[in-house]
Structure formats: structure tokens, C-alpha cells
Amino acid sequence: MSDIVPATTLLRVEGLNKTYQAGGPPWRRRRVHAVDNVSLTVARGRTLGLVGESGSGKSTLGRCILGLISPDSGQVVFDGVEVQGLSGKALSSFRRRVQPVFQDPYSSLDPRWPVGRSVRESLDSYRIGTPADRERRVLDLFDRVGLNPNLVNRLPTHLSGGQRQRVGIAAALASDPELIIADEPVSALDLSVQAQILNLFMDLQQDLGVASIFISHDLGVVEHISDEIAVLYHGVVVETGDVEQVMKRPVHPYTSRLLAAIPSSTPPRR
Ligand SMILES: Nc1ncnc2c1ncn2[C@@H]1O[C@H](COP(=O)(O)OP(=O)(O)OP(=O)(O)O)[C@@H](O)[C@H]1O
Ligand SMILES: [Mg+2]
């Protein structure tokens, strides 16, 4: 691979490894190779669908990219800068530019706070705009993700799963990120709601041009919103390519199995 990063590359992951010590009694402990020599790239404004069955290493890879856990070896390079070892201003700028969306917004929303405050917190922590600007921006963000601004004072428990995920997305968008890492963001939702949230992601891609890594165990879900797909199997990327190519002409037998597993009730393409 050339050392010159193409102008369009936003994220480059190079030879990433992450192992865990498995639990249990000492004589049974072994190392789990959760992410095994993974390399991939995400271009500006593009969406990479990351698929694989449970335990294939998707979340571990996502968390390494977010800098939430450290890989054993390998590199995560965001906009030309290696993420490991960032600190101070550079780290806070990275956090602002790369935002997570999780499966369960409960994990990112404080249950005691009105949901507007959770979105506002993001603006406060990055010191975006004046306090008055921030009030306005929270309402804009609610509007942007299709939430009634009247909901800002509600607690998370008083919202539906889909509404909570919209709040989670609004909180992620607050800092105007260039890359969103969404880890199974629709898996906990009913099928009809899944389709709505997927449509929202597609709108955001089009309107804001934000790049994303969209993680799912369901190839049928990532198909709808991805430009490229990477298939993880036991921590190894066994297949990558643009979405049409992977869906129509999978090279790896494991991809074919994932294709065969797509439920016919998968949310329809808009
Ligand atoms: N903190 C941890 N300690 C030990 N092992 C872990 C830890 N986190 C993950 N693992 C192991 O690493 C492997 C990859 O897990 P990971 O959660 O990344 O997979 P995943 O593809 O996100 O799975 P799922 O679809 O269930 O979310 C699994 O074998 C898992 O048991
Ligand atoms: Mg996971």
C-alpha cells in the first residue's frame, strides 16, 4: 500500500489487532483474538457497512476506532493523524469529529435528564456557540432528526425506543461530526421503526455528507445504507467491496451464508 493517503480517505485502519483474556479458571484461560489484523478505509462522506455474526469483533473494532479501547497493535489514522497517543486539544478535537451512536440510547442518555439536556451537554462540552445559540441548536437538532421540539423536556423513559434513538442521533450530530460510528443502532427496534431510523440515517448522509461506519449483524440492514461493505468473521475481514458487488457476487462462503440469512421481512429499500 502506498504511503500517500488519497485526498478522499477520512479513516484508515491498518493491521489492527485486539485480543482479550477470556475469563474462567486459570488453566482454561486463553486469549480471544477479537480483531485480527484488520485493515479498512472509509472515504469522506461514505458509509461502510460492517457486518458479522455475534462475537465476530464488530463492537471491538468500533471501540478501537473511537479510541475507547486500545488495540494491541496496528493503527487507526483519522484525517491523516494517528489516533493512539492523541491527548489534550487534539484528542478533544478527534472526539468532536468522530461520534458514536449505540444500540441502546439508554447507555448514552442520562436517565435523570430531560433528553434536550443530553443533546445540550454535547454542545456545552465542546463549547459550541453561545448559551443562547445552544438552546436554539438543540431545537434545530430535534427538528433535524424528526423529533417534536416539545419533547426536549421529557425524560428518556417517556420516549419510545425509536424516539430515544433519534435523541441519540441528535446528540451525536451536535458536534457536527465528520464520521459517525453506529453500533447496531436499529437492532433493538421494531421492524417498522428500524426502517424509519434507517431512512433518517440515509437523509443525514445525503444532507450533511457525514461519513459513517454502520455496524449490524444483518446484511439486509446494512445493504440499504452502505456504499461499501466489510464482512468480519472471527475478527478477520473476509470480504470487502462495494455494496452491489458484495450482495450480487459474494466471494467468501461466509458472506453467502449471511446473504441467505437475510429475513424476507427486512425493512424495504425506500
Ligand atoms: N471485555 C471483554 N473481555 C473479554 N472478551 C471480550 C470482551 N469484549 C469482547 N470480548 C470477546 O471478543 C469477541 C468479539 O466481541 P465483540 O463484542 O467485539 O463482537 P460483536 O461482533 O460486536 O458481537 P455482537 O454482535 O454480539 O455485539 C467475542 O469473542 C467476545 O466474547
Ligand atoms: Mg457488538
Side-chain angles (χ1 to χ4, degrees), residues 20-22 32 34 52-61 183-184 217:
Y20 295 110
Q21 184 81 54
V32 177
E53 67 197 345
S54 180
S56 57
K58 307 180 297 292
S59 296
T60 302
L61 178 56
D183 192 350
E184 304 266 10
H217 60 276

Side-chain angles (χ1 to χ4, degrees), residues 30-214:
R30 56 189 181 91
R31 295 205 78 78
V32 177
H33 213 148
V35 172
D36 190 349
N37 196 26
V38 165
S39 298
L40 49 84
T41 56
V42 179
R44 258 177 214 290
R46 306 277 284 178
T47 294
L48 174 72
L50 182 63
V51 276
E53 67 197 345
S54 180
S56 57
K58 307 180 297 292
S59 296
T60 302
L61 178 56
R63 295 171 72 80
C64 284
I65 294 170
L66 284 160
L68 299 175
I69 53 175
S70 311
D72 299 350
S73 62
Q75 287 187 316
V76 176
V77 180
F78 177 74
D79 199 14
V81 178
E82 192 178 345
V83 172
Q84 287 97 288
L86 285 182
S87 61
K89 273 199 179 138
L91 179 61
S92 109
S93 155
F94 171 76
R95 295 226 180 284
R96 179 175 167 159
R97 295 170 70 192
V98 183
Q99 285 282 321
V101 172
F102 295 106
Q103 172 172 343
D104 178 8
Y106 268 125
S107 59
S108 44
L109 301 177
D110 190 316
R112 298 159 305 172
W113 285 1
V115 289
R117 180 163 169 203
S118 288
V119 175
R120 161 86 196 235
E121 176 74 2
S122 198
L123 298 169
D124 289 342
S125 66
Y126 298 112
R127 303 212 173 81
I128 295 168
T130 65
D133 289 341
R134 290 175 202 162
E135 292 299 328
R136 228 172 306 129
R137 181 131 164 85
V138 169
L139 298 179
D140 286 349
L141 284 163
F142 267 59
D143 187 49
R144 175 63 273 194
V145 300
L147 281 174
N148 188 325
N150 294 335
L151 296 174
V152 288
N153 292 319
R154 298 273 180 88
L155 292 173
T157 42
H158 296 146
L159 267 56
S160 69
Q163 287 173 326
R164 270 199 300 275
Q165 192 53 290
R166 287 178 196 269
V167 175
I169 295 167
L173 291 178
S175 66
D176 237 337
E178 286 150 79
L179 177 65
I180 287 181
I181 303 199
D183 192 350
E184 304 266 10
V186 300
S187 309
L189 305 171
D190 294 342
L191 275 187
S192 61
V193 184
Q194 284 195 10
Q196 293 165 15
I197 299 293
L198 284 173
N199 284 340
L200 172 61
F201 268 101
M202 288 191 268
D203 288 345
L204 297 173
Q205 288 167 344
Q206 276 187 356
D207 299 351
L208 309 177
V210 54
S212 53
I213 296 182
F214 195 101

